[in-house]
Amino acid sequence: DLSTMIKIDQESRRFVAQRAIGSGFQSVLFADIRSVEDAIHCVRSVRPDTPEDGGFHGAAVRRFAYPSSGGGQQYVERLRDVVIVLMIEKAPAVEVLEEILSVPGVDMVQWGGTDYSMSIGKAGARRTPEVRAVERRVFETAVRMGVPPRAEIGSVDDAKHFLDLGVRHFSIGTDLAILFGWLQENGAGLRKALEGA
């Protein structure tokens, strides 16, 4: 019961999102959202090209809906089920946060403090009181508006702060941090074993 999510940068969004969905991803996390128009474009990139959905995703032979991947109703329903997540990580997006959260089809948002601090000219300041205050506002606004927020945490202990804000969705660790920690721990162990040999 573990679904997969892919994070997509701004360039080539539609192409990459559609290929990722076709290969089996159930969620798409769009980075670099700056405006309501960006949010609308992301939703339309995923949703089916039907009159009622108004999406850009047409019929194609894809694994996620086989054998009816030729554009039948099952294919349309699977596109409607894809979870659309937007990164709120740029100052312009925070300025129009409520409007972005009001875009039909936005299923979830995720805060990006590192990019946000860079976008306000304070790179690396994601844990400062100023940036943490904006982070809190983003989470509280999303919860209040019924759009589930997702928090990035490094460990289970980090979850408490966000649970108190009403957050129930988490990204725990990153591939680079997990690999770095594993390599560091096992490399040190192997080094110690070699010294004793």
Side-chain angles (χ1 to χ4, degrees):
D1 290 336
L2 181 65
S3 62
T4 55
M5 177 185 289
I6 187 169
K7 182 177 180 182
I8 298 177
D9 290 325
Q10 187 173 15
E11 293 302 316
S12 305
R13 265 184 217 181
R14 187 185 313 172
F15 174 82
V16 175
Q18 291 178 1
R19 291 309 184 269
I21 292 164
S23 68
F25 283 92
Q26 297 92 359
S27 305
V28 181
L29 173 61
F30 289 98
D32 301 316
I33 304 303
R34 289 177 169 80
S35 67
V36 174
E37 292 75 20
D38 284 348
I40 292 168
H41 181 80
C42 291
V43 170
R44 293 186 73 197
S45 294
V46 171
R47 294 300 180 237
D49 184 10
T50 65
E52 57 272 348
D53 295 290
F56 297 136
H57 201 149
V61 177
R62 301 282 187 253
R63 286 193 308 240
F64 81 104
Y66 188 82
S68 69
S69 60
Q73 192 58 37
Q74 180 185 19
Y75 183 84
V76 168
E77 292 303 324
R78 294 234 172 130
L79 290 175
R80 288 176 179 158
D81 289 342
V82 172
V83 177
I84 299 171
V85 188
L86 305 181
M87 288 293 299
I88 303 299
E89 59 185 348
K90 304 295 183 186
V94 171
E95 292 170 13
V96 293
L97 179 62
E98 290 189 358
E99 291 89 340
I100 288 173
L101 294 172
S102 297
V103 170
V106 174
D107 297 309
M108 182 180 281
V109 293
Q110 180 169 314
W111 170 249
T114 302
D115 272 282
Y116 178 78
S117 65
M118 184 182 289
S119 79
I120 62 170
K122 298 181 180 183
R126 70 187 184 108
R127 299 211 187 279
T128 62
E130 175 189 2
V131 174
R132 293 301 290 241
V134 175
E135 171 188 79
R136 182 179 191 91
R137 183 166 61 89
V138 168
F139 283 114
E140 288 175 344
T141 304
V143 168
R144 177 176 48 82
M145 293 185 67
V147 178
R150 181 174 181 244
E152 294 178 342
I153 57 175
S155 71
V156 174
D157 295 335
D158 296 337
K160 170 120 178 56
H161 165 74
F162 296 104
L163 288 167
D164 291 344
L165 294 175
V167 177
R168 297 295 180 264
H169 301 276
F170 297 92
S171 168
I172 185 166
T174 62
D175 53 353
L176 291 177
I178 292 166
L179 286 172
F180 180 78
W182 187 90
L183 291 168
Q184 190 174 36
E185 178 183 335
N186 287 284
L190 183 56
R191 186 175 294 113
K192 189 174 183 177
L194 288 170
E195 289 170 359

